Amino acid sequence: MKSARTETFRFLLSLAKRHPGGFSDGGIVDGRVNDFWSLYNQIVAFNCEDELSTNLLEVIDVLLKGQLNSISHKSAAVSNKYHGKRETPEPSLLIIEALDNDSVALADGDKDKIKKMLIVGLDEYKKLYELREKYQNQM
């Protein structure tokens, strides 16, 4: 029974990397992140983390890059430095770069509102980054 459950989670993790069909809503949080957290909570609840650590790392890497891309839509500095690259910077560095006044000034709209949005996106990025660190340290 546990084997079947683990394989089901493995399959669902592979689906978690895919972008949903249609147009992106352009939000500051990658559209796949919330579903990933729901799936991850189930994986933890059923004690399947160890068997799925490699799969989790793969999905987290994809989501980190997606989240970085979402942040780059509201921060010119992040877009200029990381767009199209494989690098996933440490959250503390990314926060400094994303919230730089000159970078936010280039975005259209209320600058305070944009910064608040960026903070939400950066928080999700940080949670994913820390989860990746957890699994990398276990290997």
Side-chain angles (χ1 to χ4, degrees), residues 26-46:
I28 197 69
V29 176
D30 184 296
R32 302 167 290 181
V33 171
N34 289 332
D35 290 338
F36 168 75
W37 287 121
S38 295
L39 178 57
Y40 177 73
N41 289 335
Q42 290 300 307
I43 290 169
V44 170
F46 284 102

Side-chain angles (χ1 to χ4, degrees), residues 35-92:
D35 290 338
F36 168 75
W37 287 121
S38 295
L39 178 57
Y40 177 73
N41 289 335
Q42 290 300 307
I43 290 169
V44 170
F46 284 102
N47 199 26
C48 296
E49 287 178 278
D50 291 340
E51 298 93 331
L52 296 169
S53 60
T54 301
N55 303 91
L56 283 164
L57 274 170
E58 288 174 15
V59 174
I60 293 166
D61 278 338
V62 169
L63 295 179
L64 273 170
K65 291 176 183 110
Q67 189 56 34
L68 187 61
N69 184 53
S70 294
I71 293 166
S72 74
H73 293 296
K74 297 291 182 189
S75 173
V78 173
S79 179
N80 292 338
K81 188 168 184 178
Y82 301 108
H83 186 72
K85 297 186 179 168
R86 301 181 60 84
E87 183 179 355
T88 49
E90 288 187 24
S92 57

Side-chain angles (χ1 to χ4, degrees), residues 5 7 10 19 22 25 32 44 47 50 55 59 61 64 72 82 84 88 100-101 108-109 117 127 129 139:
R5 183 172 42 233
E7 289 309 310
R10 195 178 316 278
H19 281 286
D25 65 1
R32 302 167 290 181
V44 170
N47 199 26
D50 291 340
N55 303 91
V59 174
D61 278 338
L64 273 170
S72 74
Y82 301 108
T88 49
D100 176 74
N101 284 330
D108 291 331
M117 289 173 60
K127 289 191 299 191
Y129 191 93
M139 298 187 133

